[in-house]
Amino acid sequence: MKIESVELRVVRLPLVTPFRTSQHRQDERVALLVCAHTTEGEGWADCAVDAGPLYEPEFLSGARAVMAEYLVPMLMAVPELTAARVQSVLAPVKGHQLAKAALETAVLDAELRAKQMSFAQYLGAVRDRVPAGVSVGIPGSLAELIDLVEGYLEQGYRRVKLKIEPGWDLEPIRAVRERFGPGLALQADANTAYTLAGAPQLRALDPFGLLLLEQPLAADDLLGHAELARLLTTPLCLDESITSVRAAATALRLGACSVINIKPARVGGYLAARAIHDLCAAQGIPVWCGGMLETGVGRAANLALAALENFTLPGDVSATARYFAEDITRAFVLEDGYIAVPTGPGTGVDILRDVLGRLTIRHEILR
Ligand code: SMG
Ligand code: MG
């Protein structure tokens, strides 16, 4: 196939609950949607950037610029493009994985729609539904946290992840564990907020039987994580550190983690995400699918990935209602704590054009 044009749309989706991590607070998702118009039809992707570089180094206007000035012209110059070739065509551009991943995904969506094949089939999914976890931001008080968690458990979520930071770690974890008991699948995510000097505080979490502790230290501190892993009984999971297949292999070799959160966008797309899945499977390392407050377009593809065999832990792929009152695709719903994996061609979801039109704040076509 050949790309004829790429459409970029910026859409604003207010969040139903503000989401605060140790690093930043979000009240809305300002999403960059990418549509590849090709000779074989169109394909869509949700570029996982946010408005500012507060979680990932990439951000919306930077991703837009690198796509317009470099990535899209490079792809448009290829006469016989396939999704599998996108990363090698774009390799001369350093970094910008989120932008590259979105373009690869849009091309893959177009390719699979033309072949009438779903993401799940293409990636090698072995399940038709995946258990849903929920990521709970840092609220204003313990009482508010307990109410939030209670609400999510009533809805059926199978696992709860609490965002933590120094000063908001032991108390919330103890409170949730005491209130909901030892049967609750509970984990914590520090989003890089600690240093090795915080090891005693993190050790104090060991008695609470967390499934895992996610990314306590800086993204580039693999040695620190390896050292910390030896000090804790709670399994360590890496997220921000996992930027590529090679980074995952290095982290595992160093003993920096025993679980991996795969974010397809950060590693450069679903093909690299699948390669990390395969690497971890070969080493007996469980993986789960992370979330970046995706619209339905990104969520649909994440569900397909999360249906691969070694995604043995519930991911941060929650129902649409946990994020948005209105999305640009049909809503994903919980059924007995699970979300069904889409089966239609490509991502298996269609864009609701009227909603898209209403939520769009910027629109451009790159030719
Ligand atoms: O999509 O449910 C979601 C969010 C899950 O906690 C979540 N993601 O570090 O794992 C993480 C955070 C990053 C979110 S910032 C966009
Ligand atoms: Mg995380």
Side-chain angles (χ1 to χ4, degrees):
M1 68 166 57
K2 189 165 182 343
I3 297 186
E4 292 172 329
S5 65
V6 171
E7 183 179 342
L8 300 181
R9 270 180 190 267
V10 182
V11 295
R12 261 196 69 227
L13 296 96
L15 292 173
V16 293
T17 331
F19 186 60
R20 185 165 91 72
T21 73
S22 64
Q23 305 302 310
H24 73 312
R25 177 193 153 115
Q26 275 182 263
D27 296 281
E28 58 181 15
R29 168 99 204 280
V30 181
L32 176 62
L33 297 173
V34 177
C35 177
H37 295 274
T38 79
T39 46
E40 314 252 308
E42 66 179 45
W44 284 85
D46 177 340
C47 181
V49 285
D50 197 14
L54 302 177
Y55 175 62
E56 287 292 319
E58 289 177 73
F59 65 109
L60 199 150
S61 51
R64 189 244 143 235
V66 79
M67 284 187 200
E69 292 171 31
Y70 292 94
L71 306 179
V72 169
M74 288 163 88
L75 291 177
M76 287 185 64
V78 180
E80 294 284 335
L81 188 66
T82 62
R85 287 191 64 197
V86 168
Q87 277 293 350
S88 61
V89 171
L90 301 181
V93 172
K94 310 297 183 260
H96 298 282
Q97 294 287 64
L98 269 50
K100 291 176 178 179
L103 290 166
E104 183 192 276
T105 305
V107 171
L108 182 57
D109 187 42
E111 195 174 301
L112 294 179
R113 281 174 196 268
K115 286 187 190 150
Q116 294 287 305
M117 182 190 271
S118 69
F119 263 60
Q121 271 174 289
Y122 175 80
L123 292 172
V126 297
R127 306 180 184 95
D128 57 12
R129 58 175 202 164
V130 299
V134 62
S135 174
V136 186
I138 301 174
S141 67
L142 279 178
E144 205 181 312
L145 176 68
I146 297 292
D147 281 354
L148 275 170
V149 172
E150 186 153 49
Y152 289 132
L153 293 177
E154 278 167 13
Q155 290 165 46
Y157 282 100
R158 301 254 154 187
R159 174 283 260 158
V160 170
K161 157 166 140 180
L162 303 186
K163 291 291 185 179
I164 62 167
E165 65 185 2
W168 179 265
D169 41 27
L170 185 59
E171 288 313 308
I173 286 168
R174 186 205 313 251
V176 168
R177 186 52 95 203
E178 279 176 2
R179 171 69 182 76
F180 301 102
L184 172 66
L186 182 64
Q187 63 193 52
D189 186 359
N191 290 111
T192 73
Y194 295 80
T195 65
L196 255 191
Q201 283 140 270
L202 297 172
R203 242 173 122 151
L205 307 180
D206 278 344
F208 296 97
L210 299 180
L211 285 174
L212 56 90
L213 171 61
E214 187 179 342
Q215 199 74 43
L217 312 179
D220 63 358
D221 195 2
L222 292 181
L223 291 177
H225 280 102
E227 173 135 18
L228 185 62
R230 288 190 284 272
L231 300 173
L232 306 182
T233 57
T234 305
L236 281 193
C237 171
L238 290 177
D239 175 10
E240 283 87 333
S241 299
I242 305 302
T243 51
S244 64
V245 184
R246 203 176 285 131
T250 307
L252 294 176
R253 175 72 74 87
L254 290 173
C257 63
S258 51
V259 183
I260 286 183
N261 168 356
I262 302 182
K263 294 249 173 84
R266 187 194 297 111
V267 301
Y270 289 87
L271 301 182
R274 180 174 60 185
I276 295 176
H277 161 274
D278 295 350
L279 171 85
C280 290
Q283 300 191 28
I285 296 290
V287 301
W288 53 281
C289 184
M292 308 263 276
L293 307 174
E294 286 88 352
T295 64
V297 174
R299 192 170 316 287
N302 283 350
L303 284 164
L305 181 72
L308 268 63
E309 183 136 41
N310 192 42
F311 280 81
T312 51
L313 295 168
D316 286 339
V317 189
S318 311
T320 303
R322 178 255 173 269
Y323 308 95
F324 315 118
E326 184 176 48
D327 200 349
I328 55 164
T329 65
R330 68 171 171 83
F332 288 98
V333 294
L334 282 190
E335 283 168 62
D336 194 26
Y338 288 78
I339 304 179
V341 177
T343 53
T347 58
V349 289
D350 293 317
I351 304 285
L352 303 172
R353 297 281 170 171
D354 55 327
V355 183
L356 181 73
R358 248 187 303 114
L359 301 184
T360 296
I361 54 176
R362 254 194 338 268
H363 180 215
E364 71 186 305
I365 297 184
L366 309 171
R367 301 177 193 279

